[in-house]
Structure formats: structure tokens, C-alpha cells
């Protein structure tokens, strides 16, 4: 196999790229984007239905589309793209051939078949059980089977990733330790193994139950194990998009991590503790002790939050240090003002970082506080929070890196660069609005996964506050904005891959997409620079975090005493 | 750069002061948040008892019906309105697609709630107080609650439970003690 | 904590933490074992201990 491996040398980075790795990266990225398009469209339909003045879909169709929205964007889009990231971070960054490409294609095929099977089952209308598929609501057997096949395929992808690491080490394709971005990918892959194994452990019996081979599945037990998949899959995202933040900062600005040690230690905290946050979904369940709830929901005393806060300093810090080295040294924020805001890869990355931290991170901790969860559980606050993490954080970061993947891997120029410039802003602002207004509506009691908050046909009247309806309308408007950004992304990416100018060596020389290639050879950590701008940013973040945290305790203290 | 392999011993490289300070702040803040949750179990008033039982849905229905029979004061649209004595055991059934029965409680009095589902999972969501609980079939959740305001409080369902999910509404009326 | 291994090819001692972070398979084991024990196993025990109503 080693002899047969074909390589090209990347004119931009000088890295050796294995042709099979490249083909698999392309295939997984393309499939991811297809499911993003489908899932995104479903999401728009959901938002338009929940916009009281529009109320687009009838009830049955609404719940069906909502089920499809969750599966397509939370699982299929993200995991396809993540497999592409894993192959890139192993084979490409380590200058290595990809292990067992045939098996990798088999895994890919399983994922495609699984994702299509689950979609068919949802669209047939007999599997409207939401993405979470809590028993005893029952879907058709091939709904679960589709998810299982998809999970097995993704597990094969993780296996290929680890095997590639072994080959790279054996064949000495790199010296020293793996690059930080690869280390972030290792973190993502480790969490993926736990995630997928948990999914298999619970979905296989549920599948047997749906065929009548098992009498029942305990609903509380199901929730415990299912969320080890459902929430941890979003922790794969966190690790992957943090790795991508480092990647984009490195490629565009030549940014070096402030400290290899600190950044890797932060990823280690993810490996050990991030997955415990699956408990966020079980804080108001019957019969589970507060000891379990507090320990797990706090990721073992917030050690994984510590990891995120470390990245929150390291990444803007690395960007600031790189910018200052380039001469933007005036005042506190010249480095930030003169950052390449017109480059969609940078703009998307920085927006993703800020929105994930402020909107997604802080609210996630608050939502996951044992007692505060009482006033938020299953309200629209929950999707508000995770649209900030998974859409503004992960999806926007993945979109941003696509603007580098297309020229470097697909070797095409980006078409419509004028529009591409605006794409991350449209999408980012749209998603920020969606998140904020859903969270606002949630604090007013608006339930998630609900077709009609006017309760017109209900036997007992419910008067939701007028502000809640206003928020749902604004949510719909911002969903339109985000959908425009999403559509633009798909047009630009598909258009570039199909019709973009071929990036021959001459074209690549004339249109560099990454930072001066000579510095690509450098390595090591930053030499403790002065980073006043970053200190101001993290200080603002910290104050916002503390204030918002205690405001919610105040809200909680006003509700009925419970014990 | 983050895409290059660091060589040699990087673990022993010294940290900048700012990094050390930030890590210390973030770690301490984590401890503060962790101990705030524990503190609230002693110093706060909003905690779940986590008391629960596995129970057959038929048995749970029976107990609820016994309470309804004993304490019904009137009916609204065919739904019994139950006024159990202050301090008593109060049963509430979640089922497709209603919260049954309507409860009439006295302000400032404690009640021991037993909430259970007889079919699928439901989300107890008391509005506009915004207290939210997950209700599982086959389980009975027990907690003590004390209304602190008079008025009519609808209970909506915030866990998807089937096509009539958005029709599932119940109510708690909180009245002045008689 | 200083590691004794010289397999990193150096005449220098690689610190224990760097050896740990350079070994994806130990990390994989830790990353699967930690949530399996702390979250799943403990959680399943919690659910199994819920008493049956009298």
C-alpha cells in the first residue's frame, strides 16, 4: 500500500498531500454540505412556523420537519465534515498517507447509507419522534437502523484516523510531537469514540424494541445513555472547531499558540471531563441524586470550562501576537481593527470564537447549573443556547475553514469573492439573533418543540406574554438572515468547486491564500508578548459571565419554593 | 505554528504571568460556581428532592383518581377541579394530551406533589412561573412545592409527546387560604 | 514526575506529561474510561436504585 500511495506537493504550504486522503476529504466535505443544505432548509421551515404571523407548516408536518432538522444538522452535516477534518489533520498535516483508504471508503459508504435511510424514514412520516427519539415514542425500525449504520461508519472514520497516526509515527513523517491542530483533532476523535459507542449501546436495543424483539426500554436509562451520545457529539464539535480556530489563525496570520503546553493541557481537560456535561439534560429527571447531577453537570468542578477559558485567552492572544509582530502595535486594539476582516475565513473564525464564548459558553454553564435548570429546562432557551454553540460556533467555524479548503484541497479559486466577504457576517449575525431571541423567549416560558404557543385549540386557555410573540417574530426574521447567509455559502462553495478557476501553480502563486509560506516552517510557542487587547477582551468576558450567572440565581430565587 | 510539530521538550517551557493569572482566575471561578450549587441546597429554597419511585401506570392512575374523588369541588369543561387540604399529597397525571386534574391550592401552603405519566414522556412546565420538570412513564416524581402568589397558572407540556403535544394544557389555581 | 523513558529519541528526559500528551492511545483510554465510569456507570446505578412504589 505504501508503495502505491500517490502524493502531490501543495504549492501553498509545501505539505505532501496523499491523493486518497484528498479524495476522502473532498467526499466527506461535500456530503456534509449536502446535509447542511437539507437540514438548514428544514430549520428555516421550523423558524417560519414558529413565527406567529407566518405559522407556515401544519402541525404534523412541523413535527416531522423538526425531527429531520435535528438529525441532518446535528449529526449528519457535522460528523461528515468532522471526518474530513480528521483526515486532514492526520494525513495532510502529518505529511503521511492515509491508513487503509478502502476501509475509509467503506466507512463513508455506511455513513451515506445510514444518513439516507434515517432521512427516508423521517420523511415517510412514521418516525416523528424528534432527534432524541425518547421511548416509548416509537419510530420505524429503519430510523434507528439508519442512525446505527451512520454511527458505525463514523467509528470506522475514527479508526482510520488513529491508524494514520500510527503510520505517521512509524514512517517518521514528522519530528517531535504532532501539531497542535492535530492534537485538537485527536481530542475530537477520542470524544467521538465515546459518543458513537454510547449511541450504539442505546440505539441497538431501541432498534430491537421497535421491531418487537425486546419488551421495553426504560425511559430514564435511555436518556442517561442516549445523552452520552447526544451531548457528547456536540463536544466533538467543540474540540473540532477549537482546532479549526487554531488552524485558521495559523494559516492566515502565521499565529503560533502562546504556549503549546497550556493549549494541549486545555485539550486534555476536554478529553477527561467535557463529556460529563451530558448530564445537562438530566437535571430535572426523577430519582437521580444531586451528587451525580452536580458532579457531572459541572464537568467535574468546571474543569472542562477551564479548558475553554484557556482557549479563550490563547486563541485571541495568538492572533494579537501575530498581528503585533506584523507591525500593528499601536494602542490596545490596532491589531484587531487591522485584522483581515474582509477575508471570510478570518471573519468567520473570529465571529465564531466571540459568539461561541459569549452567547454559547456562558449560557451553557448557566443552563447546566443544577437548580437554574429548573427555570429553563426544555424551554426555547435550550435551542437558543445550542444554536449559539453548534451553529454560531461550530457551523460558522466549518464554513470559515471551507474558504481555505476549497483553494487548498479542491484547488479552485473562490467564485464571487465580493459576496463571500459578506457571507460570514450575514450568517453570524443571523444566528446570533436566532440564539438571543430563542433564549429570550425561553426565559418567558416558551416551550421548545411546540407548534402553537397561542394554544388556540387547547381545552384550557394559556396567555403567553406579548413579548414572547415579539421574540418569536424576531427569531423568524433573523432565521431568514441566517438562511440567506447559509444559502450564499452553499452557492459559493458548490459554484467554486464546480466552476471556480483551477488553481494551478501559477494561479496559486498570484493569489496566495495563506500567510507568507516561509514562516510555515517555524514552530514553537510565542515568546510571552504583551497582549493588552486580549486581556481587555477576556476581562469583559469574565465580567459578563459572572453578572449573567448571578442574575439567573436571582430569577430562580423568586419562583415557588421547592424541596 | 499550530500546524507544525513542536520539537524537543515543550512541556518545560515557562508560562507568561498573564496566562498563569488567567488560569488561576478561571479555576477559582469554576470552584465558586461548583460550590454555589452545593450552597443552594442549604441556603436556597429551590431544590428538587430527587425522591422518585418506579410505579405501574395503573397504580398511579388509581391513586390520582382516589384523590380526585375525595376532593373535587367542581368541574370546568368536564375536567375536575380538586382542592386538597393544605399540606396533603397531591397527584397529577400527565397523559396524551392533558394534565389531569385541575388543582386548586392555597397560597403560602406546602403540598407534596406526585407527578407521573401514564403513556410517554411529558414536560411539566408551570407558567408564567417557569418551573420545568421532566415526567417519565413508569416513574413517580415527588417534590414539595409552596405557591407564593395567587392566580391561575397553566401547565403546558414542553417535551414532545405526540401530534397533540401543543394541545396539552392543565392548570393550577392558587387561591387565598380559606 | 519526570519520565524515565528515552524512547522519544532524545538524550534528554521527556517529562511525564509530555509523554502522556504524545500518546493518543493512552489519551483514548482515559477519554473513554472517564465518562464511562463517572457519567454512565454511576448514572445507571442511580437509576437502578430508584425504589418501587409501595
Amino acid at each position: 500500500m505504501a508503495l502505491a500511495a500517490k502524493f502531490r506537493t501543495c504549492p501553498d504550504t509545501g505539505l505532501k498531500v496523499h491523493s486518497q486522503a484528498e479524495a476522502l476529504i473532498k467526499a466527506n466535505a461535500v456530503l456534509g454540505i449536502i446535509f447542511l443544505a437539507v437540514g438548514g432548509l428544514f430549520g428555516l421551515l421550523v423558524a417560519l412556523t414558529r413565527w406567529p404571523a407566518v405559522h407556515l407548516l401544519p402541525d404534523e408536518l412541523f413535527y416531522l420537519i423538526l425531527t429531520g432538522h435535528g438529525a441532518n444538522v446535528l449529526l449528519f452535516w457535522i460528523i461528515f465534515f468532522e471526518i474530513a477534518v480528521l483526515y486532514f489533520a492526520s494525513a495532510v498535516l502529518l505529511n503521511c498517507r492515509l491508513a487503509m483508504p478502502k476501509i475509509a471508503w467503506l466507512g463513508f459508504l455506511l455513513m451515506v447509507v445510514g444518513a439516507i435511510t434515517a432521512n427516508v424514514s423521517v420523511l415517510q412520516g412514521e418516525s416523528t419522534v424528534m432527534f432524541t427519539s425518547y421511548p416509548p415514542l416509537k419510530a420505524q425500525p429503519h430510523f434507528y437502523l439508519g442512525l446505527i449504520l451512520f454511527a458505525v461508519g463514523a467509528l470506522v472514520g475514527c479508526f482510520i484516523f488513529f491508524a494514520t497516526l500510527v503510520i505517521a509515527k512509524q514512517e517518521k513523517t514528522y519530528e517531535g510531537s504532532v501539531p497542535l491542530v492535530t492534537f485538537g483533532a485527536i481530542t475530537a476523535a477520542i470524544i467521538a469514540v465515546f459518543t458513537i459507542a454510547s449511541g450504539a449501546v442505546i440505539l441497538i436495543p431501541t432498534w430491537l424494541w421497535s421491531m418487537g424483539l425486546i419488551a421495553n426500554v426504560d425511559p430514564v436509562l435511555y436518556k442517561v445513555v442516549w445523552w452520552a451520545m447526544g451531548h457528547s457529539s456536540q463536544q466533538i464539535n467543540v474540540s473540532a472547531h477549537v482546532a479549526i480556530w487554531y488552524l485558521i489563525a495559523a494559516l492566515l496570520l502565521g499565529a503560533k499558540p502562546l504556549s503549546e503546553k497550556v493549549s494541549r493541557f486545555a485539550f486534555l481537560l476536554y478529553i477527561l471531563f467535557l463529556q460529563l456535561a451530558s448530564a445537562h439534560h438530566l437535571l430535572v429527571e426523577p430519582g437521580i441524586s444531586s451528587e451525580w447531577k452536580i458532579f457531572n453537570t459541572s464537568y467535574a468542578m468546571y474543569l472542562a470550562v477551564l479548558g475553554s477559558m484557556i482557549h479563550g485567552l490563547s486563541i485571541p492572544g495568538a492572533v494579537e501576537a501575530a498581528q503585533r509582530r506584523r507591525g500593528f502595535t499601536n494602542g490596545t486594539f490596532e491589531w484587531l481593527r487591522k485584522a483581515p476582516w474582509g477575508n471570510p475565513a478570518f471573519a468567520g473564525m473570529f465571529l465564531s470564537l466571540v459568539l461561541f464564548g459569549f452567547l454559547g459558553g456562558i449560557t451553557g454553564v448557566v443552563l447546566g447549573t443544577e437548580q437554574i435548570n429548573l427555570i429553563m429546562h426544555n424551554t426555547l432557551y435550550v435551542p437558543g443556547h445550542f444554536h449559539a454553540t453548534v451553529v454560531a460556533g461550530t457551523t460558522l467555524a466549518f464554513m470559515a475553514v471551507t474558504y481555505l479548503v476549497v483553494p487548498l484541497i479542491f484547488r479552485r479559486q473562490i467564485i464571487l469573492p465580493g459576496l463571500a466577504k459578506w457571507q460570514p457576517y450575514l450568517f453570524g449575525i443571523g444566528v446570533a439573533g436566532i440564539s438571543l431571541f430563542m433564549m429570550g423567549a425561553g426565559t418567558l416560558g416558551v416551550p421548545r418543540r411546540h407548534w402553537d404557543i397561542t394554544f388556540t385549540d387547547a381545552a384550557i386557555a394559556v396567555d403567553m406574554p406579548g413579548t414572547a410573540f415579539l421574540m418569536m417574530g424576531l427569531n423568524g426574521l433573523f432565521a431568514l438572515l441566517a438562511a440567506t447567509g447559509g444559502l450564499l455559502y452553499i452557492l459559493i462553495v458548490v459554484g467554486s468547486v464546480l466552476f471556480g478557476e483551477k488553481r494551478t501553480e501559477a494561479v496559486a502563486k498570484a493569489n496566495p491564500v495563506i500567510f507568507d509560506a516561509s514562516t510555515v516552517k517555524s514552530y514553537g510557542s510565542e515568546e510571552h508578548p504583551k497582549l493588552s487587547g486580549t486581556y481587555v477582551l477576556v476581562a469583559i468576558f469574565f465580567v459578563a459571565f459572572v453578572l449573567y450567572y448571578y442574575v439567573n440565581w436571582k430569577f430562580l430565587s423568586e419562583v415557588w419554593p421547592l424541596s | 505554528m499550530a500546524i507544525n510539530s513542536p520539537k524537543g521538550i515543550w512541556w518545560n517551557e515557562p508560562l507568561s504571568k498573564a496566562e498563569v493569572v488567567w488560569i488561576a482566575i478561571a479555576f477559582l471561578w469554576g470552584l465558586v460556581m461548583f460550590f454555589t450549587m452545593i450552597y443552594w441546597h442549604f441556603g436556597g429554597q429551590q431544590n428538587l428532592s430527587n425522591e422518585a419511585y418506579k410505579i405501574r401506570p395503573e397504580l398511579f392512575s388509581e391513586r390520582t383518581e382516589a384523590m380526585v374523588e375525595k376532593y373535587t369541588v367542581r368541574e370546568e369543561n368536564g375536567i375536575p377541579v380538586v382542592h386538597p387540604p393544605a399540606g396533603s399529597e397531591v397527584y397529577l397525571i400527565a397523559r396524551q394530551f392533558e394534565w389531569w386534574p385541575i388543582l386548586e391550592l392555597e397560597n403560602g401552603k406546602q403540598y407534596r406533589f406526585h407527578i407521573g405519566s401514564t403513556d410517554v414522556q411529558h414536560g411539566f412546565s408551570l407558567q408564567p412561573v417557569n418551573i420545568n420538570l421532566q415526567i417519565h412513564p413508569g416513574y413517580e416524581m415527588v417534590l414539595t412545592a409552596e405557591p407564593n402568589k395567587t392566580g391561575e397558572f397553566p401547565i403546558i407540556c414542553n417535551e414532545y409527546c405526540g401530534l397533540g403535544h401543543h394541545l396539552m394544557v392543565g392548570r393550577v389555581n392558587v387561591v387565598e387560604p380559606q | 514526575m519526570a519520565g524515565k523513558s528515552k524512547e522519544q529519541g532524545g538524550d534528554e528526559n521527556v517529562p511525564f506529561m509530555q509523554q502522556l500528551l504524545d500518546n493518543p492511545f493512552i489519551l483514548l483510554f482515559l477519554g473513554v474510561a472517564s465518562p464511562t465510569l463517572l457519567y454512565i456507570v454511576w448514572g445507571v446505578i442511580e437509576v437502578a436504585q430508584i425504589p418501587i412504589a409501595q
Side-chain angles (χ1 to χ4, degrees):
Chain A
M1 189 86 88
L3 292 176
K6 273 197 286 190
F7 289 91
R8 69 175 174 91
T9 302
C10 173
D12 292 274
T13 59
L15 289 165
K16 270 166 51 186
V17 184
H18 178 210
S19 61
Q20 282 293 324
E22 190 169 60
L24 277 153
I25 291 169
K26 286 183 186 172
N28 279 286
V30 166
L31 261 289
I33 289 169
I34 291 172
F35 286 105
L36 173 67
V38 175
L41 173 67
F42 286 0
L44 179 64
L45 296 176
V46 168
L48 290 178
T49 307
R50 296 214 64 170
W51 184 345
V54 180
H55 212 217
L56 184 69
L57 302 177
D59 51 358
E60 202 171 334
L61 194 57
F62 167 76
Y63 292 122
L64 182 154
I65 291 293
L66 184 52
T67 305
H69 172 59
N72 280 302
V73 283
L74 279 175
L75 279 184
F76 307 149
W77 139 245
I78 286 202
I79 292 185
F80 269 115
F81 203 90
E82 272 157 0
I83 297 290
V85 170
L86 290 185
Y87 293 166
F88 173 81
S90 54
V92 177
L93 287 184
L94 297 179
N95 268 307
C96 180
R97 66 187 168 88
L98 192 76
M100 297 169 281
K102 280 188 185 145
I103 309 284
W105 282 112
L106 178 71
F108 173 75
L109 194 67
L110 280 172
M111 287 169 70
V112 174
V113 171
I116 292 175
T117 308
N119 265 296
V120 167
S121 153
V122 170
L123 292 174
Q124 283 172 330
E126 301 291 322
S127 300
T128 301
V129 291
M130 299 296 127
F131 170 55
T132 46
S133 56
Y134 292 148
L137 282 179
K138 200 183 281 185
Q140 291 173 309
H142 57 287
F143 174 79
Y144 307 104
L145 181 64
L147 295 181
I148 293 166
L149 290 177
F150 181 82
V152 173
L155 197 56
V156 170
C158 295
F159 171 69
I160 299 290
F161 168 77
F162 283 108
T164 305
L165 295 181
V166 173
I167 291 177
K169 184 140 203 173
Q170 277 175 353
E171 298 182 356
K172 298 201 166 53
T173 62
Y174 67 99
E175 273 180 69
S177 306
V178 297
L180 182 60
V181 172
T182 306
F183 192 74
I186 291 175
T187 305
I190 290 170
I191 297 179
V193 169
F194 172 74
T195 298
I196 296 165
S198 307
V201 164
I202 198 62
L203 286 172
I204 290 172
T206 310
W207 174 50
L208 297 175
W209 164 75
S210 73
M211 294 188 296
L213 299 174
I214 287 181
N216 72 59
V217 175
D218 182 276
V220 185
L221 216 51
Y222 175 93
K223 266 194 90 170
V224 172
V225 185
W226 193 90
W227 279 111
M229 174 189 77
H231 201 96
S232 302
S233 62
Q234 312 318 315
Q235 317 293 20
I236 313 173
N237 303 342
V238 173
S239 313
H241 76 225
V242 171
I244 284 178
W245 293 339
Y246 280 111
L247 173 71
I248 293 177
L251 287 176
L252 291 183
L253 303 168
K256 294 191 286 183
L258 295 178
S259 154
E260 288 284 351
K261 167 176 162 176
V262 167
S263 293
R264 283 171 206 246
F265 180 70
F267 276 122
L268 177 66
L269 293 175
Y270 280 2
I271 292 172
L272 295 176
F273 304 115
L274 195 55
Q275 305 158 75
L276 305 183
S278 307
H280 287 182
H281 301 267
L282 294 137
L283 297 176
V284 296
E285 307 297 308
I288 300 176
S289 73
S290 286
E291 288 81 358
W292 184 90
K293 287 175 179 173
I294 289 177
F295 181 82
N296 280 290
T297 199
S298 69
Y299 324 74
M301 300 205 265
Y302 293 103
L303 290 176
V305 172
L306 173 61
S308 287
M309 288 173 79
I310 290 174
H311 292 306
L313 175 83
S314 298
I315 294 168
V319 170
E320 178 171 1
Q323 286 284 84
R324 285 183 182 273
R325 206 168 46 226
R326 294 169 73 190
F328 300 115
T329 51
N330 286 334
T332 311
F333 284 117
E334 192 194 21
W335 64 276
L336 191 59
R337 278 198 314 276
K338 302 228 168 120
W341 295 106
N343 182 333
F346 179 83
M349 170 258 174
F350 212 87
L351 276 176
S352 158
L353 172 70
V354 170
L355 294 176
F356 178 82
F358 278 85
L359 282 186
I362 293 177
T363 62
V365 169
V366 169
L367 180 58
T369 300
E370 190 205 6
Q371 295 93 340
I372 294 176
N373 190 260
L374 272 167
I375 55 172
M376 294 174 169
H377 177 79
N378 269 359
T379 66
L380 256 191
Y381 194 95
V382 179
H385 151 71
F386 72 69
H387 280 73
T389 56
V390 179
V391 194
T394 308
T395 298
L396 190 51
F398 287 4
M399 285 176 168
V401 81
T402 315
Y403 292 108
L404 296 174
V405 169
V406 169
L408 296 178
I409 299 287
F410 286 87
R411 282 178 281 163
R412 299 276 188 166
Q413 291 288 91
I414 297 284
I415 61 162
L416 307 174
L419 278 175
K421 219 181 253 188
W422 291 102
Q423 188 275 328
Y425 296 99
L426 278 176
F427 190 77
I429 294 168
V431 178
I434 291 175
S435 300
L436 278 172
F437 293 118
M438 279 204 275
M439 288 193 277
T443 57
L444 296 170
V446 175
R448 69 185 292 194
R449 298 171 163 175
H450 199 278
W451 181 68
D452 181 21
I453 57 164
T454 64
F455 295 92
T456 312
D457 299 321
I460 296 174
V462 181
D463 278 322
M464 279 296 183
T467 336
F469 288 94
L470 178 68
M471 298 246 187
M472 296 313 290
L474 287 168
N475 174 54
L477 275 174
F478 278 83
L480 282 175
L481 197 62
T484 312
L487 185 66
L488 209 53
Y489 167 77
I490 286 164
L491 284 180
I492 291 168
V493 172
V494 173
S496 303
V497 167
L498 295 179
F499 310 112
E501 186 189 351
K502 284 221 170 75
R503 212 172 140 81
T504 57
E505 235 164 277
V507 177
K509 279 234 166 67
N511 303 283
V513 289
I514 65 168
F515 188 68
D516 180 2
S518 62
T519 64
V520 171
K521 303 291 179 220
S522 68
Y523 64 87
S525 306
E526 281 292 345
E527 297 294 326
H528 313 154
K530 180 174 157 287
L531 301 171
S532 49
T534 299
Y535 303 154
V536 172
L537 291 180
V538 296
I540 294 172
F541 172 81
F542 187 69
V543 171
F545 196 166
V546 174
L547 287 178
Y548 188 69
Y549 181 73
Y550 282 109
V551 161
N552 279 285
W553 280 106
K554 174 84 179 78
F555 286 149
L556 176 73
S557 72
E558 286 161 8
V559 310
W560 296 9
L562 304 168
S563 53
Chain B
M1 298 203 315
I3 57 166
N4 298 105
S5 296
K7 297 174 188 72
I9 306 288
W10 41 262
W11 183 260
N12 291 337
E13 283 169 17
L15 300 183
S16 71
K17 204 186 226 168
E19 278 180 297
V20 175
V21 169
W22 178 242
I23 292 170
I25 291 175
F27 177 70
L28 289 175
W29 172 235
L31 289 185
V32 168
M33 292 192 296
F34 180 75
F35 285 107
T36 303
M37 287 192 284
I38 296 173
Y39 159 77
W40 199 259
H41 278 274
F42 305 99
Q45 293 198 296
Q46 291 77 17
N47 291 290
L48 291 181
S49 68
N50 296 320
E51 185 180 348
Y53 301 94
K54 293 191 167 96
I55 189 166
R56 284 180 297 109
E58 304 77 45
L59 183 58
F60 188 76
S61 295
E62 252 172 55
R63 291 181 180 178
T64 311
E65 278 154 20
M67 174 202 72
V68 170
E69 206 161 295
K70 216 161 156 191
Y71 299 122
T72 297
V73 287
R74 61 176 185 279
E75 287 199 347
E76 274 183 40
N77 301 329
I79 310 166
V81 179
V82 178
H83 188 122
S88 67
E89 313 281 319
V90 176
Y91 286 82
L92 182 67
I93 290 183
R95 62 188 173 209
Q96 292 167 330
F97 296 102
E98 62 175 353
W99 297 94
W100 190 87
I102 293 176
L103 300 169
E104 191 172 277
L105 308 177
E106 295 175 9
N107 192 19
K109 297 285 163 61
Q110 284 196 341
Y111 296 86
R112 226 166 96 87
F113 274 77
H114 300 248
I115 314 176
S117 162
T118 55
D119 40 43
V120 298
Q121 284 185 51
H122 296 283
F124 173 96
S125 181
L126 186 75
Q127 294 303 324
V129 191
N130 217 1
I131 292 174
N132 303 284
L133 305 167
Q134 188 83 13
I135 308 303
H136 287 260
Y139 288 86
E140 168 186 24
M141 188 176 204
V142 184
L143 72 156
T144 306
E146 183 187 323
N148 60 7
K149 222 181 257 167
T150 57
E152 295 192 341
F153 299 91
I155 308 167
I156 60 178
C157 180
N158 67 10
E159 184 57 75
Y160 176 74
C161 58
L163 291 179
H165 168 53
H166 48 275
L167 303 175
M168 181 163 170
V169 181
R171 199 169 67 218
V172 178
N173 300 336
V174 179
V175 296
E176 284 304 339
Q178 286 139 7
Chain C
M1 291 286 263
K4 289 162 197 142
S5 159
K6 292 185 180 172
E7 63 190 353
Q8 292 266 320
D11 13 344
E12 24 182 18
N13 279 342
V14 179
F16 169 78
M17 281 303 287
Q18 183 164 339
Q19 288 187 36
L20 173 72
L21 292 171
D22 278 344
N23 190 328
F25 293 97
I26 293 182
L27 295 175
L28 174 63
F29 171 77
L30 293 174
V32 173
S34 160
T36 302
L37 293 175
L38 295 170
Y39 173 85
I40 293 189
V41 173
W42 184 6
V44 168
I45 292 172
E46 290 280 330
V47 177
Q49 280 178 344
I50 298 176
I52 294 170
Q54 294 304 307

